[in-house]
Amino acid sequence: GREPDEERHNFDEAKFDSPSVRISWNPDANWSLQVSWADLHSVEQLEPEGDETRWSASAIHNLPLADGASLTTTLILGARDSTEGDGQFALALESAYSPDRDWTFFGRGEVIETNELGEGGHHGPVETVAKISLGVVRDFDVTDNVRLGIGGLYSVNFVPDALEPSYGGDPDGA
């Protein structure tokens, strides 16, 4: 449950002191559901006394359409609570439409509460930020078992007034 140290060329010693559990269920070929919980000790190297409890839940639904097309939608919920006592919540909704094997059009909306957007990467007050993204991917056959996708994405970001000096008044991206 820890971040790696600054020496990225070696393995960090595993400490088995952070229990977690995940339950998954696929009621049929088009649904996948999961819930998870974790009690993480000493999550961040720079703040070794900080512990976190995290949970998540997600549902994925695939809707087969005519002529091999499909629409896949995912709903994701997550939350964390740290020893600092600042609980944070996240929600994402994503859909991908594939009219055929070669094209995928997708959209994603997300809202999160986070305290990790302070000046210089330090923790600040909990802020709510959001993003809406739209994109497309075109896949090409490279070999019988390999495909290459090339695509584009445009995102509109929503940040509170308090964060505009750090992120700008128009933090959209492509």
Side-chain angles (χ1 to χ4, degrees), residues 142-158:
V142 176
T143 68
D144 289 341
N145 297 316
V146 177
R147 293 176 58 82
L148 173 67
I150 298 175
L153 169 88
Y154 187 80
S155 295
V156 178
N157 298 284
F158 303 92

Side-chain angles (χ1 to χ4, degrees), residues 67-136:
D67 299 324
S70 68
L71 176 66
T72 303
T73 301
T74 303
L75 176 64
I76 307 162
L77 304 169
R80 69 179 181 180
D81 191 21
S82 68
T83 52
E84 298 168 1
D86 53 353
Q88 297 157 39
F89 181 77
L91 169 71
L93 178 63
E94 179 175 282
S95 285
Y97 170 66
S98 299
D100 56 37
R101 181 174 148 81
D102 296 330
W103 288 95
T104 302
F105 302 90
F106 59 92
R108 178 182 175 105
E110 55 191 292
V111 177
I112 68 165
E113 296 175 327
T114 182
N115 67 349
E116 296 181 0
L117 300 175
E119 290 289 326
H122 299 290
H123 289 192
V126 173
E127 301 281 0
T128 301
V129 296
K131 178 188 286 190
I132 296 174
S133 302
L134 295 173
V136 61

